[in-house]
Amino acid sequence: MVTPGASGAFGDRQSTESRLIGLRVISLVLFVFLAGSFWVLQVLQYSEHLERAKRNHTRTLPLLAPRGVLFDRHGEVLVQNRRSFRIAIVREQATDVPASIRRLAAITHADEAQMLAIVQRRKSDPIFRPIAVIDHATDAQVAAVVAQQLELPEIVVEQVPTRTYPVGGLAAHLFGYVGEVQPAQLVRTEFAGLSQGAIVGQAGVEQVYNTQLMGTDGNRFVNVDSRGREVEELQRQDPVDGQRVQLTIDADMQRALEDAFRADGYNGAAAFIDPASGEVLALTSLPAYDPNDFAAGISSSVWQALNADPLRPLGNRLIQGLYMPGSTFKIVMAIAALEEGIITPDSVIGCRGSGVFYGRSFKCWNTKGHGAMTLRHALEQSCNVFFYTLGERMNIDTINKWATKLGLLGKTGIDLPQENASFMPSTEWAARTRSDGRWYPGETISVAIGQGAVSVSPMAMAMMMATVGNGGTLQTPHLVKAVDRGKGKGWEPVPGPGPRSTFAMRPNNLAAVREGLWMAVNTPRGTATARGKIEGKDVSGKTGTAQVISNDNKAAAQAAARAAGRNPAIFDDHGWFVFFAPRDKPEVAGVVFTEHSEHGYLSAPIAKHVMETYFAKKEGRPLPVYHSPAAPGGGR
């Protein structure tokens, strides 16, 4: 018999035992969980935590490699490097990145939002890698960070090489500029192995020869304390400088070219070529930009201003601009007609000031007429009717054939990025692109004087003149003469890319064309007389005027521009001058293209000044000083 009291005691014991069993199970589960956690931490994640432990007391700091120095053909330094400071944040050492950035902005007076945007853009970088948030820091900013180093151990100051270009944007489109590699670029083969933040060439020679110029970055391995402060340097891997590169450019000719353009107040493009090799001696495109703005980390306001500028300073007119060649195209017509046997050097064609071709009247620029003319005098005086007549006697495919031989179809192949192809029409082109598939003979008349459906780059025109000058070898223009390979190898010449094509002009035909071009510069009736002539140097050349808009529509377009508050000069004609010198054994050839100058002869003084600089330097004479001439009217 169980008493009521005994029954209650038994129930209490059962309850207590149940609770003890529950506690044992819970303890066992906790023990198993803790043991498993220790096993994960100590075994499975051993390597990860070992690396983290190492990083608690070591840090790897990059040492950026200076880019290779650029020299001119005579050894003058053109582009080099200087040392500057940048301020970076190491997120691994920061407990609160936004707070660190806020404090950094307060002591350096830098843009907090911009710095946060940089960190956000680089968030995929390893957290131990410093992210530069202030490039080219001022002395005051560096001093402020150093003074606050104990409070901001996650903020570091790094010394880095920075590109330095000639002042004033000299040869900006030749050199190009550098900037941070863009995410879209990282997938390209030439940028393999780079990470965000790497500095690469983004235009010009800097872009084309980026691999040679970049060099190899080094590293500093340092011990840091618990606050992230550097205690000692453990190891250093010095960076390897980029290769030094000697360009084909002559710095004095380059300065002379740009000084003359600016003295005359023109925008445009020009190139001076060694016709025997295709080496570029000087080139320009104006207006330009200052590459130093990019090297220093271009601000958004400057970048926006460059892109919004209607004069397009970022565009390279020399290789990207396509224009009608105007009367300079008469050289192509002359060679084509001679080599095809359509005329001889002594054939005579009359000019009465205009001519009727395919039922339409075409005017000569000299409305009184030039009279009876041979090819030499037609080139000298740029007679339109003479070349209209050649256009009537030739079909467009024949003209296309010789334009191609002289380099006026496709790209020149110069070692600069984003070159546009020159265009020359043909019946095949018309059949492929036009709704009716036809090329009309009347259109050939306009093409014969470089108007209508033909468009060329100034660089293509320079190579055309180099080809005429050397007798028929179409060279490939290039900009690199030698590279310093380092490691005891020293300077090694870089072979040119070689000719694109070669043809042999008959000597009597070549002599007639050269004589006509010489007369254009050196005789009283020549279109470039007194503008391009250099005593004793036998400069030979041809002027040209390229329409921006047809003469029939020009007045109305200019009136509309005035009414809209725009400059009506944007519809003025462009001016060309193509040249080589001396006549029979040319050493320099090229083009000067002046935007909206209205007359080709106004381009000639610029070419003359640069050629005078070339000859003065060659002969050991003082370099000339440019005096901008007055601009009388008349001529083509």
Side-chain angles (χ1 to χ4, degrees):
M1 178 174 176
V2 179
T3 65
S7 176
F10 177 77
D12 289 342
R13 283 197 302 273
Q14 278 193 322
S15 176
T16 301
E17 288 178 0
S18 296
R19 286 197 294 271
L20 288 173
I21 291 171
L23 286 173
R24 291 190 190 102
V25 170
I26 291 171
S27 298
L28 180 61
V29 170
L30 288 174
F31 178 79
V32 170
F33 174 77
L34 290 173
S37 297
F38 282 123
W39 184 81
V40 170
L41 291 172
Q42 297 292 329
V43 179
L44 288 184
Q45 297 180 351
Y46 170 79
S47 299
E48 179 183 347
H49 290 288
L50 177 63
E51 182 63 25
R52 287 185 179 181
K54 289 179 178 178
R55 290 204 302 265
N56 280 336
H57 62 85
T58 63
R59 181 181 291 169
T60 302
L61 300 176
L63 296 173
L64 300 186
R67 290 178 71 83
V69 177
L70 297 177
F71 299 82
D72 91 330
R73 65 189 297 111
H74 302 295
E76 179 179 336
V77 174
L78 297 175
V79 179
Q80 55 187 321
N81 305 290
R82 62 179 174 84
R83 290 286 175 180
S84 69
F85 292 95
R86 70 182 186 185
I87 297 171
I89 182 169
V90 182
R91 290 167 298 159
E92 184 183 44
Q93 299 292 332
T95 56
D96 186 338
V97 171
S100 298
I101 292 295
R102 192 177 308 115
R103 293 186 63 185
L104 177 61
I107 65 174
T108 61
H109 306 291
D111 189 318
E112 179 182 346
Q114 184 174 338
M115 290 192 289
L116 284 171
I118 293 171
V119 173
Q120 177 65 22
R121 191 167 62 245
R122 300 273 299 279
K123 64 181 180 180
S124 61
D125 285 14
I127 62 172
F128 59 84
R129 179 175 295 161
I131 295 177
V133 291
I134 301 178
D135 286 313
H136 313 287
T138 65
D139 291 343
Q141 289 174 322
V142 171
V145 170
V146 172
Q148 298 285 326
Q149 198 68 70
L150 289 176
E151 291 76 18
L152 291 172
E154 68 273 24
I155 304 299
V156 295
V157 176
E158 300 175 322
Q159 191 178 53
V160 295
T162 301
R163 214 59 164 152
T164 301
Y165 298 92
V167 296
L170 180 76
H173 289 94
L174 164 64
F175 300 134
Y177 58 88
V178 296
E180 280 193 20
V181 65
Q182 300 301 306
Q185 294 177 306
L186 290 172
V187 300
R188 287 159 40 181
T189 304
E190 63 264 37
F191 298 121
L194 297 183
S195 58
Q196 289 191 40
I199 301 299
V200 300
Q202 298 286 6
V205 168
E206 293 276 25
Q207 177 181 340
V208 175
Y209 293 98
N210 182 68
T211 300
Q212 292 88 337
L213 292 169
M214 268 200 74
T216 304
D217 292 343
N219 289 294
R220 288 179 66 232
F221 302 93
V222 299
N223 261 342
V224 294
D225 62 17
S226 60
R227 297 291 303 275
R229 295 170 297 191
E230 182 177 332
V231 175
E232 63 176 332
E233 182 175 284
L234 300 175
Q235 185 183 355
R236 173 186 288 261
Q237 295 174 345
D238 289 328
V240 178
D241 291 7
Q243 294 178 350
R244 302 191 300 166
V245 175
Q246 183 182 35
L247 302 176
T248 61
I249 296 297
D250 183 299
D252 290 313
M253 293 177 68
Q254 184 69 36
R255 283 188 282 265
L257 173 59
E258 298 198 17
D259 287 347
F261 255 97
R262 291 191 169 96
D264 282 354
Y266 293 134
N267 292 322
F272 291 72
I273 309 295
D274 179 346
S277 65
E279 291 183 353
V280 181
L281 304 176
L283 65 79
T284 194
S285 172
L286 294 170
Y289 54 86
D290 189 347
N292 291 295
D293 289 339
F294 292 86
I298 192 164
S299 67
S300 59
S301 60
V302 173
W303 177 247
Q304 290 170 4
L306 287 171
N307 282 281
D309 192 329
L311 294 177
R312 299 175 291 109
L314 291 173
N316 187 342
R317 286 158 165 77
L318 182 67
I319 62 171
Q320 294 174 330
L322 298 176
Y323 313 89
M324 288 186 288
S327 291
T328 58
F329 194 76
K330 293 171 181 175
I331 300 169
V332 177
M333 296 297 297
I335 292 172
L338 289 169
E339 291 294 299
E340 294 288 335
I342 292 168
I343 60 170
T344 70
D346 299 316
S347 296
V348 176
I349 295 174
C351 171
R352 297 181 178 180
S354 65
V356 177
F357 304 92
Y358 300 105
R360 178 186 167 192
S361 178
F362 290 82
K363 295 180 179 180
C364 187
W365 71 267
N366 183 348
T367 56
K368 296 180 180 179
H370 288 100
M373 309 202 83
T374 64
L375 176 71
R376 297 174 179 84
H377 291 95
L379 287 171
E380 173 198 33
Q381 299 175 48
S382 197
C383 175
N384 286 351
V385 171
F386 188 98
F387 292 96
Y388 289 147
T389 304
L390 297 187
E392 184 183 42
R393 297 179 184 180
M394 283 189 283
N395 62 54
I396 192 64
D397 290 331
T398 300
I399 300 172
N400 178 287
K401 166 187 169 183
W402 285 96
T404 301
K405 284 177 177 287
L406 290 164
L408 299 186
L409 182 67
K411 300 179 181 181
T412 67
I414 188 172
D415 41 349
L416 287 175
Q418 299 179 327
E419 180 180 13
N420 286 329
S422 295
F423 172 75
M424 178 69 207
S426 65
T427 55
E428 182 277 331
W429 167 79
R432 178 167 42 85
T433 61
R434 290 182 169 177
S435 59
D436 62 1
R438 297 182 60 190
W439 174 264
Y440 295 90
E443 295 177 279
T444 308
I445 304 304
S446 294
V447 170
I449 63 163
Q451 306 289 352
V454 55
S455 58
V456 298
S457 70
M459 178 54 79
M461 294 301 294
M463 299 317 297
M464 183 269 286
M465 282 306 282
T467 304
V468 176
N470 66 33
T473 300
L474 178 59
Q475 297 284 1
T476 304
H478 55 280
L479 293 162
V480 172
K481 193 172 183 67
V483 173
D484 184 356
R485 304 294 183 186
K487 298 180 180 179
K489 296 180 180 179
W491 288 99
E492 293 183 3
V494 175
R500 294 169 59 195
S501 62
T502 301
F503 66 92
M505 288 181 63
R506 287 190 282 271
N508 60 327
N509 291 341
L510 179 60
V513 172
R514 283 178 170 173
E515 186 175 354
L517 297 176
W518 179 88
M519 292 166 65
V521 179
N522 295 278
T523 64
R525 292 188 176 183
T527 57
T529 296
R531 294 288 182 157
K533 182 178 180 178
I534 303 175
E535 291 294 338
K537 301 306 179 187
D538 283 336
V539 176
S540 303
K542 181 76 187 73
T543 58
T545 303
Q547 294 178 346
V548 174
I549 191 172
S550 70
N551 289 330
D552 294 339
N553 298 323
K554 184 175 180 179
Q558 290 182 323
R562 289 190 191 93
R566 299 168 61 204
N567 185 356
I570 61 175
F571 297 107
D572 286 343
D573 297 340
H574 302 313
W576 292 95
F577 182 60
V578 294
F579 54 88
F580 55 77
R583 175 179 63 182
D584 297 320
K585 292 184 178 180
E587 300 173 25
V588 59
V591 64
V592 173
F593 172 80
T594 50
E595 280 189 355
H596 309 303
S597 63
E598 296 195 84
H599 302 290
Y601 66 82
L602 294 177
S603 299
I606 298 175
K608 175 183 177 179
H609 176 61
V610 181
M611 285 189 283
E612 285 180 326
T613 301
Y614 169 83
F615 288 115
K617 191 168 184 177
K618 177 185 176 184
E619 296 163 8
R621 295 183 283 109
L623 300 182
V625 177
Y626 187 66
H627 300 286
S628 181
R636 297 292 291 175

